[in-house]
Amino acid sequence: MGVKIVYGSHYGTTERYAQELSRRVGIPAVDYRKMGEISSQDTVIYLGGLYAGGLVGLKKSLPKLKTAANLIVVTVGLADPEEEKNVQHIRTSVTKQLGEELTAKTTFIHLRGGIDYGKLNMLHRTMMRMLYSQIKKKPVDQLSEEDQELIATYGKKVDFTDLSSVEKIQALLK
């Protein structure tokens, strides 16, 4: 049984996690567009950046991922994975992409990424502006910690990346 590390990244945070995992386990990490074939004996670790609830490259990768014996999906996003409501929201969104059958054989890990507003493309900048505008309209007493954090960091560069957290993925390979 082989192990493959595949990632989908827009701005590089997810790729950094994938490369760190690759370095630690000695398995090459490949961009989803260069994934190659997946055997029914393979375990695939798919790391994807979260954007509007979807994982980068997952939709295009699904036909190949369905053949894997085991799938480990690692999400990388701004939402704090220590908050259970964030995890539930992420899982609901990713399950829509994977479908029930593939979700049933998937192990999930959620990691925290970052954002650099200066590097966002027009679509992502617009999405973040809309989210910021919605949150700013809420009464102050109804703002969650995440809402307050987004307001405080809007337009800036923030990085919550913790490369040591790839240990969670490594533990699944033992």
Side-chain angles (χ1 to χ4, degrees):
M1 180 164 82
V3 176
K4 297 193 178 197
I5 301 170
V6 179
Y7 65 89
S9 184
H10 271 306
Y11 300 104
T13 305
T14 303
E15 183 177 5
R16 285 176 45 213
Y17 277 119
Q19 295 302 336
E20 178 64 16
L21 178 62
S22 171
R23 185 187 69 74
R24 289 179 181 219
V25 299
I27 300 168
V30 297
D31 185 283
Y32 75 94
R33 292 167 285 215
K34 300 175 184 173
M35 174 179 0
E37 293 306 311
I38 303 295
S39 146
S40 62
Q41 304 295 308
D42 288 335
T43 292
V44 177
I45 303 166
Y46 190 94
L47 296 93
L50 282 165
Y51 294 90
L55 284 182
V56 175
L58 187 60
K59 183 177 179 180
K60 291 182 179 178
S61 302
L62 277 177
K64 291 181 181 180
L65 295 177
K66 287 179 180 179
T67 65
N70 299 299
L71 181 60
I72 300 168
V73 170
V74 181
T75 66
V76 179
L78 283 176
D80 185 352
E82 298 299 316
E83 295 286 331
E84 186 57 33
K85 67 179 180 167
N86 291 340
V87 171
Q88 290 306 316
H89 179 73
I90 293 166
R91 293 237 178 123
T92 299
S93 297
V94 175
T95 296
K96 287 178 186 174
Q97 280 189 283
L98 291 174
E100 294 296 328
E101 187 178 322
L102 192 53
T103 297
K105 70 173 188 176
T106 300
T107 302
F108 291 95
I109 295 178
H110 308 288
L111 305 178
R112 203 139 187 223
I115 190 167
D116 182 348
Y117 285 86
K119 292 184 178 180
L120 295 181
N121 65 30
M122 184 63 82
L123 174 63
H124 293 151
R125 195 174 311 125
T126 301
M127 288 168 49
M128 291 307 292
R129 188 176 326 115
M130 289 171 48
L131 179 61
Y132 175 77
S133 295
Q134 284 180 321
I135 291 171
K136 286 289 285 181
K137 291 177 185 176
K138 288 182 179 181
V140 174
D141 62 333
Q142 291 180 15
L143 294 174
S144 69
E145 276 188 47
E146 295 238 347
D147 292 340
Q148 293 171 31
E149 193 171 86
L150 190 135
I151 290 169
T153 61
Y154 181 75
K156 300 174 183 167
K157 179 179 179 178
V158 291
D159 190 359
F160 301 107
T161 305
D162 176 8
L163 295 179
S164 70
S165 63
V166 300
E167 292 170 356
K168 297 174 190 176
I169 307 165
Q170 285 179 270
L172 295 174
L173 299 176
K174 295 179 180 184

